[in-house]
Each structure stands twice: as structure tokens, then as C-alpha cells.
Amino acid sequence: MKHNFYAGPSILSQYTIKNTADAIINFADMGLSILEISHRSKQFQAVMDEADALVKELLEIPAGYSVLWLGGGASMQFAMAPMNLLAKKAAYLDTGVWASKAIKEAKLFGEVDVVASSKDRNYSYIPRDYVIPQDADYFHYTSNNTIYGTEIRKDPDAGKVRLVADMSSDIFSRKFDVSKYDLIYGGAQKNLAPAGVTLVIVRDDALGHVDRVLPTMLDYRTHVKKGSMFNTPPVLPIYAALQTLRYYKQLGGIDVIEKMDLDKAAKLYEAIDSSRMFKANVPNHEDRSIMNVTFVMKPEYAELEKDFLDYAAAHDIVGIKGHRDAGGFRASLYNALPMSSVEALVKVMDDFQKEH
Ligand SMILES: *Cc1c(COP(=O)(O)O)cnc(C)c1O
């Protein structure tokens, strides 16, 4: 068995993979594959309805919000969010590559006030002292910075400004208060499903306040009105997402998952912090991501980086090479990764240090 630490697309539960594989052969006892039936069949409509209901249940989404399943990835949301919400000015927090890509797209649609940035120290911390202009149409932030391994685990206080979050890589890993947000989005390929679908949660009354002409497909209201069935939705990733959502519910919901994720992250950070050879990228413990743990070799061991990657690979540890912008190593501990995989990585780190 491989220990899968890939950052995205990334590990899915065996429950998700097995049930999705089964539906590719015979979906809902129709004697047909899910790949070859109408998305408007009553069997697939039941998948959509249950997936919507489980997202609402697991995240405790109050009335007045819609759950959407869209194509285009989180990257499409970088443009779609400002298109639909930015009338004059928006505020953004710059905490990494994904945040700055979102900023770039927003600038196409209006004035963008970047309230703070952690770029000065290669995005290794979360800026704290910033002011959100209260005349902004919304404040956008990235809750988990997948590449650098920082995370904002507390809902920011935006005052009366609408709150928008890219939660691609930590949604379903921790509790948060949906009622504080007007728009939340996330590509599915980190904690939910294979790539190809993006989960969007939007407050219905946040829409319709901009004057610009919106292409039909890029107008959230189209998808709200049509229940994400304006066009053919990504059928298979949605089916896989439903399996993951069922699995999350069976585990006991977000509280249980959050505790497991915190335990996994604590175990790995402790091993890094107490090691002779490794060093965490993010010094401030409060800013550390529980989903993506980034670390490097201490300078005196820098030449052993490749050896360690090879050693880890030889012990079935997969996907720990850091992103090219951050360097070093990154172990992604998404919900489906078992504690036994974290233990295996810690053991490999220990053994490697003993040998060097
Ligand atoms: C992976 C990721 C994205 C990009 O998602 P795509 O679906 O590939 O567009 C955006 N934001 C964050 C935080 C991510 O982790």
C-alpha cells in the first residue's frame, strides 16, 4: 500500500473509489454505466439532490443559500466571483499563489484593494494587522494556502462587508460559520472528489447587485435557478463527491473529521519540530495548515534533500516533494489520509535521520 501525500488531485476514501468504480459498471441498478446515462434521469437527479442535502447538513448551511456544482475549477471562480459581486471595489488578502491569481482576475472587473500580503517572507505567515475598507463590495481570502502550508482557521471579521472565501483545500476539514459568508468555493480535487467539479455555496441575496452584462454560464443565478443543470454537469465527479459526503457523515461529521485532522497534523509537526534535520516552513504555530504541512531540510543538511525523497519513495511514501514555489517537502494530510500514513512518514523521517 502506498501512503498518498499528493496535494491535489489527492487521496480519496476507499469508500469513494470503490462505489464510484461500481457505478461506472452498473449505476443504480439500471444495467448501465453512470458514464452513459442522461444527467436528467431520475436516478441522477437523486444523486444531485442527496449531494446538495449532505453539503447543507455537514456544513450546517442556513436557509437562503444555494449549493452549486460547476465546471471550470476554483480558477474559474477567481473570475466568476468578481463578475457577479464586484460593482466598484473589492478587498483581497494576499496569502499565496492562489490568492494572487484571484487578485489578478478581480482587477479585470473593478478596483482591488489588497489589504495585506505575506509575499515579503515567501508567504510563510498569515498577515494579522490589516483593515478591511467598509466601502468594499466584499472581502476575499484563501482559507488554506495549499502551496505554502498556512491556514486561516478562524472566520475573519469583515464587519458589514460581504465575505468570500476560496476554501479549495480545507473545506470539510474544520467547522466554520457559513452564515458569515456570501460566497464560498472550492475545487473538488482536494477533499471531495476527482477533478472536474467545483463546489460553490452562495447566499442568494448577494446576487443581482452588479450592472454588467453576465454571460449566461458565468451568472451564478443561472445555476441557482436550474439546480446546477443548466448544461450537463460533471456527472462522475458529482457522483464521487456524493460518496465522499456519505462517508463523512458515517464518520460522524465535521467535528469528528476535524479532530482526526488536528491529531494527524500535530503528530507530523511535532516530529518536524523535534527533529535534528528538518524544519517547518511556517514558524508561527497558529498559522500552520492542518491540511498541507510544508517543511525543509535545515541548511546544514540541504544536500540530503533528494536522498530523502528517494528514501521516502522506496518506503511507499508518495507525493511529498514540495511545490516548486516553496521548495523542500509538503505532506498533504487531507481527510481521507489515515493516521497510519502519518505514522509511516514519521518513521521514515526518524530512520533516515538515524542513517545520516
Ligand atoms: C488547488 C487550488 C486552486 C486551483 O484549483 P483548480 O480547480 O485547479 O482551478 C485554487 N485555490 C486553492 C486554495 C487551491 O488549493
Side-chain angles (χ1 to χ4, degrees):
M1 197 198 87
K2 302 280 184 193
H3 301 286
N4 180 358
F5 293 93
Y6 275 118
S10 46
I11 187 167
L12 291 168
S13 73
Q14 283 303 306
Y15 179 92
T16 301
I17 291 173
K18 168 138 197 337
N19 289 346
T20 304
D22 287 348
I24 289 176
I25 305 297
N26 180 11
F27 169 57
D29 284 326
M30 292 175 82
L32 295 166
S33 166
I34 190 166
L35 303 177
E36 58 182 356
I37 53 127
S38 171
H39 58 293
R40 307 212 183 267
S41 61
K42 73 175 189 320
Q43 290 87 345
F44 187 72
Q45 186 61 55
V47 169
M48 274 300 226
D49 293 346
E50 189 184 344
D52 280 2
L54 279 175
V55 170
K56 287 182 175 168
E57 181 183 334
L58 286 164
L59 299 180
E60 296 176 20
I61 302 180
Y65 286 81
S66 296
V67 171
L68 308 178
W69 303 90
L70 306 182
S75 299
M76 172 86 104
Q77 298 306 308
F78 296 163
M80 214 167 149
M83 255 181 158
N84 283 264
L85 300 180
L86 202 171
K88 191 163 176 291
K89 178 169 94 175
Y92 276 70
L93 185 63
D94 176 24
T95 53
V97 165
W98 299 119
S100 54
K101 286 188 173 173
I103 290 166
K104 178 167 178 258
E105 297 302 303
K107 283 179 176 165
L108 300 172
F109 300 99
E111 190 187 326
V112 174
D113 184 344
V114 179
V115 296
S117 170
S118 47
K119 195 170 185 191
D120 56 343
R121 277 184 269 147
N122 201 30
Y123 294 120
S124 60
Y125 68 101
I126 297 292
R128 288 234 146 51
D129 299 318
Y130 56 85
V131 178
I132 299 168
Q134 291 299 296
D135 60 343
D137 296 317
Y138 62 87
F139 171 63
H140 177 285
Y141 80 105
T142 312
S143 57
N144 185 66
N145 300 286
T146 325
I147 292 173
Y148 300 94
T150 60
E151 186 173 17
I152 299 171
R153 299 179 47 76
K154 192 169 166 286
D155 302 318
D157 179 6
K160 62 177 179 57
V161 175
R162 297 182 192 282
L163 196 53
V164 176
D166 174 0
M167 294 196 184
S168 291
S169 53
D170 68 348
I171 195 160
F172 299 111
S173 75
R174 59 185 180 87
K175 234 183 164 109
F176 63 96
D177 182 355
V178 175
S179 73
K180 292 192 171 137
Y181 294 81
D182 282 73
L183 177 68
I184 295 160
Y185 60 88
Q189 66 273 25
K190 282 125 190 181
N191 248 342
L192 193 58
V197 71
T198 308
L199 178 64
V200 173
I201 300 161
V202 63
R203 190 198 296 265
D204 298 329
D205 68 16
L207 302 176
H209 304 298
V210 294
D211 289 334
R212 73 177 55 84
V213 175
L214 296 170
T216 312
M217 268 297 281
L218 299 177
D219 186 337
Y220 289 122
R221 290 172 300 181
T222 302
H223 304 289
V224 170
K225 198 158 51 181
K226 297 288 185 181
S228 305
M229 293 267 210
F230 170 73
N231 70 327
T232 319
V235 170
L236 190 70
I238 294 171
Y239 185 80
L242 171 61
Q243 306 314 309
T244 302
L245 294 163
R246 284 180 178 166
Y247 175 70
Y248 288 170
K249 186 173 170 175
Q250 283 168 27
L251 284 177
I254 303 301
D255 286 332
V256 174
I257 293 168
E258 180 166 15
K259 178 153 187 327
M260 296 190 321
D261 288 337
L262 284 166
D263 286 349
K264 287 185 290 179
K267 172 107 192 155
L268 183 52
Y269 280 119
E270 194 184 283
I272 295 166
D273 289 339
S274 62
S275 83
R276 166 170 60 87
M277 199 175 272
F278 301 100
K279 184 166 106 36
N281 270 3
V282 180
N284 185 353
H285 290 220
E286 260 178 68
D287 294 351
R288 290 177 172 180
S289 171
I290 64 164
M291 290 281 100
N292 310 98
V293 176
T294 55
F295 56 108
V296 290
M297 287 287 180
K298 288 182 181 169
E300 59 271 36
Y301 297 106
E303 79 283 0
L304 290 178
E305 182 173 314
K306 172 140 193 332
D307 289 352
F308 177 65
L309 283 172
D310 292 343
Y311 184 86
H315 292 84
D316 293 334
I317 303 282
V318 177
I320 59 161
K321 190 171 165 40
H323 188 280
R324 61 192 177 279
D325 291 335
F329 315 107
R330 168 175 55 179
S332 296
L333 315 181
Y334 295 119
N335 292 350
L337 185 92
M339 179 59 123
S340 54
S341 288
V342 177
E343 286 162 354
L345 174 57
V346 168
K347 179 165 184 331
V348 160
M349 290 162 68
D350 283 348
D351 291 348
F352 184 79
Q353 289 180 95
K354 280 185 198 127
E355 288 181 23
H356 293 81

